[in-house]
Amino acid sequence: MADQLAGIKGRFLFSINDVPEIREICKGFEIEEVSLNYTASSKGQTKAKELVIGN
């Protein structure tokens, strides 16, 4: 995926779960960590972190 994104001519922005493997794969892009609450659960809100990655 990172290779495909590196080759595009336009701009991109996507979010994905914050795990070490994603940080390593996407280290050549701009990465911002965001905190949020997942709310689509019968157990209520769950705190989470995601990465917003772009070029």
Side-chain angles (χ1 to χ4, degrees):
M1 178 178 68
D3 291 338
Q4 292 293 319
L5 292 172
I8 67 171
K9 295 181 183 190
R11 301 207 28 102
F12 70 87
L13 183 70
F14 73 98
S15 68
I16 193 164
N17 291 345
D18 185 358
V19 294
E21 294 85 0
I22 296 297
R23 287 180 178 269
E24 178 64 26
I25 291 167
C26 295
K27 65 184 176 188
F29 301 109
E30 295 178 29
I31 299 175
E32 183 175 338
E33 180 182 306
V34 294
S35 297
L36 55 112
N37 293 319
Y38 291 146
T39 58
S41 170
S42 61
K43 298 178 184 177
Q45 293 187 9
T46 303
K47 292 186 183 226
K49 290 187 179 177
E50 290 214 355
L51 300 174
V52 177
I53 301 172
N55 60 351

